[in-house]
């Protein structure tokens, strides 16, 4: 179990923000390592056991993107990027480089804590859970062993690409997937011509698995970035599509 007492490396050069994060994380039972410099962050990361990295992108020495790239070259430790509003491009680039998620500044601490919990839960699943045979998400059952998908107990027919897209979403549920990452995972390259096809497949999949395709609760759109498959739906939640 990594969720309690997990060690979080905070890489943030604004002293007030860094100490606010440090205080809140410590109060929530996390151990905190903190630095305002990218090179120091890499040094700490190499020396200490770190379960998760909170990473500001604008640092005084090397960029957060470089820190992200160098951590990802050696480790799959979750990285959550702290990005300022006007750096859309950097944020998406960080995600393409393998960051797991982002929180836009200015942020509420509750939002950061929630994203940390999701990332640590996914890490736990990966460490403990090798190949999951079946995954239940609300009304949906993904049966990897028999390669089939049930919605409210009924098998639904998916094309091979739809199945593969859903498999990617479910395996990475909770994680923010950029369009580039999805294109690479589906078709091996991130050619821009494929972006439209991706949107079409997502729309088709929503028609088949979302009880209310117009108000998706499973495949969530993250504007300007990509998609996130919900990790927050309870197994008992049957999503009745209520029309008021
Ligand atoms: Ca900064």
């Amino acid at each position: 179990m990594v969720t309690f007492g997990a060690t979080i490396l905070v890489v943030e050069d604004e002293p007030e923000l860094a100490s606010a994060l440090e205080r809140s994380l410590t109060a929530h039972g996390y151990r905190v390592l903190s630095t305002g410099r990218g090179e120091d962050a890499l040094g700490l990361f190499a020396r200490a056991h770190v379960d998760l990295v909170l990473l500001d992108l604008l640092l005084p020495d090397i960029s957060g993107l470089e820190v992200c790239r160098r951590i990802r070259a050696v480790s799959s430790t979750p990285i959550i990027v702290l990005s300022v509003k006007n750096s859309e491009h950097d944020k998406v680039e960080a995600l393409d480089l393998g960051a797991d998620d982002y929180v836009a500044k200015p942020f509420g601490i509750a939002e950061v804590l929630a994203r940390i919990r999701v990332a640590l839960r996914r890490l736990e699943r990966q460490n403990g859970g090798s190949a999951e045979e079946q995954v239940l998400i609300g009304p949906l059952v993904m049966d990897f062993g028999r390669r089939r998908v049930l919605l409210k107990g009924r098998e639904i027919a998916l094309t091979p690409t739809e199945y593969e897209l859903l498999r990617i979403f479910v395996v990475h549920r909770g994680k923010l997937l950029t369009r580039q990452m999805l294109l690479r995972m589906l078709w091996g390259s991130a050619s821009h011509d494929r972006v439209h096809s991706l949107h079409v497949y997502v729309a088709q999949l929503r028609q088949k698995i979302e009880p209310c395709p117009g108000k998706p609760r499973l495949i969530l759109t993250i504007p300007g970035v990509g998609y996130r498959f919900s990790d927050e739906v309870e197994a008992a939640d049957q999503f009745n599509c209520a029309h008021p």
Side-chain angles (χ1 to χ4, degrees):
M1 287 280 160
V2 292
T3 311
F4 188 78
T7 301
I8 299 185
L9 173 57
V10 175
V11 190
E12 170 59 65
D13 62 322
E14 270 170 68
E16 278 162 28
L17 184 51
S19 62
L21 282 168
E22 219 173 310
R23 271 197 310 277
S24 307
L25 293 172
T26 307
H28 283 83
Y30 297 107
R31 276 189 294 270
V32 178
L33 301 169
S34 182
T35 173
R37 299 180 64 84
E39 290 288 1
D40 295 346
L42 291 167
L44 280 169
F45 188 85
R47 284 195 306 277
H49 171 83
V50 172
D51 294 301
L52 183 143
V53 183
L54 280 184
L55 178 63
D56 182 27
L57 289 181
L58 272 176
L59 299 169
D61 54 342
I62 56 173
S63 79
L65 287 176
E66 180 62 13
V67 175
C68 180
R69 197 184 61 73
R70 281 162 68 181
I71 289 178
R72 228 0 124 246
V74 295
S75 160
S76 58
T77 299
I79 300 171
I80 298 176
V81 163
L82 308 172
S83 79
V84 284
K85 230 181 175 177
N86 56 9
S87 63
E88 281 295 293
H89 177 77
D90 283 357
K91 175 177 82 190
V92 176
E93 196 177 340
L95 293 164
D96 284 338
L97 281 173
D100 292 73
D101 208 345
Y102 75 90
V103 183
K105 286 180 178 181
F107 49 73
I109 192 71
E111 170 70 6
V112 178
L113 289 168
R115 302 265 56 104
I116 289 175
R117 281 195 299 274
V118 169
L120 291 177
R121 211 156 56 218
R122 202 174 53 247
L123 181 69
E124 230 173 76
R125 214 154 55 210
Q126 282 165 2
N127 292 344
S130 57
E132 297 169 293
E133 276 286 291
Q134 274 201 2
V135 178
L136 271 75
I137 303 139
L140 192 73
V141 177
M142 181 105 196
D143 183 346
F144 293 111
R146 299 172 67 181
R147 209 181 156 82
R148 58 178 200 159
V149 179
L150 307 176
L151 182 67
K152 296 184 177 176
R154 278 198 207 137
E155 185 162 356
I156 52 173
L158 297 179
T159 67
T161 306
E162 288 165 358
Y163 180 88
E164 183 55 19
L165 180 58
L166 182 59
R167 192 191 63 78
I168 292 167
F169 276 136
V170 169
V171 168
H172 298 281
R173 61 193 183 277
K175 175 169 172 149
L176 214 168
L177 298 169
T178 66
R179 288 184 286 261
Q180 300 280 317
M181 292 162 85
L182 285 166
L183 293 175
R184 258 187 250 119
M185 287 192 260
L186 271 177
W187 292 299
S189 79
S191 149
H192 194 73
D193 330 335
R194 292 282 202 171
V195 173
H196 178 69
S197 312
L198 176 64
H199 292 319
V200 171
Y201 279 110
V202 168
Q204 283 171 201
L205 202 50
R206 278 177 172 154
Q207 287 297 332
K208 293 185 178 182
I209 67 164
E210 296 272 4
C212 312
K215 285 185 196 160
R217 292 194 49 198
L218 293 169
I219 306 174
L220 311 174
T221 298
I222 310 299
V225 179
Y227 301 95
R228 183 202 307 278
F229 198 88
S230 177
D231 193 35
E232 319 260 289
V233 177
E234 296 298 321
D237 189 342
Q238 291 293 310
F239 296 4
N240 290 313
C241 190
H243 292 286

